[in-house]
Amino acid sequence: VNNRPLNFIPHMAVFADLTLSYTPFQRYLSEPKQKVILGSTWPTFSVNYRRALPGILKSTIDYDYLEFRADHIFPWGLLGKSELKVISGSFISHKNVNVIDYKYQRRGDELLFTPPMFAYQMLDSTFKTFKRYYEVRYRHSFNGALVNKVPLIKKLSLYESAGISALYAPERRNMLYYEMYVGIDKLI
């Protein structure tokens, strides 16, 4: 009911997109013709700035968008690995933003399991955010550390995972949404 398709108005848009990423204390090996990255115990910090450029090639879209993020994958030895993603973004200015360029928080799919590091499973509606929002996503993959203890189940090659996702959108009546999940994955 609340996700009716919209008629898109044809428009021209030209964007300039700049992303800077930095991983502190990143280790590497110097080979004769390449550098091999070994990783870091620190997350990768990124800043993304997107500017819509009005007046170029008949572009009428005019906005500035700034997003900060931190991404990290860290191993837990025999207990698997964890993945953490923290994102915060907002429009700095939004003089003329087409509906296709909005920053949407996507509604969850009740029957289709979406990747938990990219989407919410049970969010009840899709909505746009122009002001600053905050997202935190954490997932731990046990890589069979728990179910591999059971002899017959070990042959199924199942992998267990658990995690939490949270969204804080002050623009939407100080909405704080979170979901926790536990599941078993089967690689096909």
Side-chain angles (χ1 to χ4, degrees):
V1 172
N2 70 350
N3 281 339
R4 293 188 183 136
L6 298 172
N7 292 326
F8 290 106
I9 301 167
H11 72 285
M12 295 291 292
V14 176
F15 303 103
D17 206 332
L18 175 66
T19 301
L20 299 173
S21 295
Y22 177 66
T23 306
F25 306 108
Q26 188 165 0
R27 298 175 316 218
Y28 62 92
L29 288 174
S30 293
E31 296 288 330
K33 295 187 179 189
Q34 68 179 350
K35 180 167 76 170
V36 179
I37 300 198
L38 301 174
S40 175
T41 58
W42 285 76
T44 299
F45 298 99
S46 302
V47 175
N48 177 267
Y49 174 71
R50 185 173 208 185
R51 169 81 177 123
L53 304 169
I56 300 175
L57 299 175
K58 299 180 183 177
S59 173
T60 58
I61 306 303
D62 187 8
Y63 70 84
D64 295 281
Y65 179 77
L66 184 63
E67 182 178 270
F68 301 98
R69 67 185 304 143
D71 297 290
H72 193 48
I73 297 174
F74 42 98
W76 288 86
L78 294 175
L79 291 177
K81 68 177 181 178
S82 289
E83 186 176 358
L84 176 68
K85 186 182 291 190
V86 179
I87 303 170
S88 177
S90 69
F91 284 91
I92 298 170
S93 69
H94 47 89
K95 296 174 188 162
N96 185 14
V97 183
N98 196 301
V99 68
I100 198 87
D101 300 317
Y102 291 170
K103 176 59 181 172
Y104 288 101
Q105 302 299 331
R106 185 179 169 275
R107 177 178 130 183
D109 293 315
E110 294 177 9
L111 300 175
L112 179 67
F113 294 111
T114 54
M117 294 304 287
F118 300 100
Y120 297 102
Q121 190 65 39
M122 301 300 294
L123 192 60
D124 65 349
S125 61
T126 297
F127 59 92
K128 57 188 178 278
T129 53
F130 286 104
K131 296 181 181 175
R132 181 145 314 275
Y133 67 92
Y134 304 91
E135 281 185 75
V136 177
R137 298 174 186 275
Y138 175 79
R139 180 180 184 195
H140 183 77
S141 297
F142 291 92
N143 293 340
L146 302 176
V147 296
N148 282 347
K149 306 293 186 225
V150 182
L152 296 176
I153 294 179
K154 182 177 182 175
K155 298 232 183 244
L156 297 174
S157 299
L158 299 174
Y159 300 97
E160 58 276 19
S161 63
I164 186 168
S165 299
L167 169 67
Y168 177 60
E171 180 176 10
R172 194 165 161 102
R173 297 183 313 266
N174 283 328
M175 181 182 121
L176 176 60
Y177 174 80
Y178 61 92
E179 58 188 28
M180 295 178 275
Y181 52 89
V182 176
I184 294 178
D185 302 330
K186 171 69 175 159
L187 298 177
I188 299 174

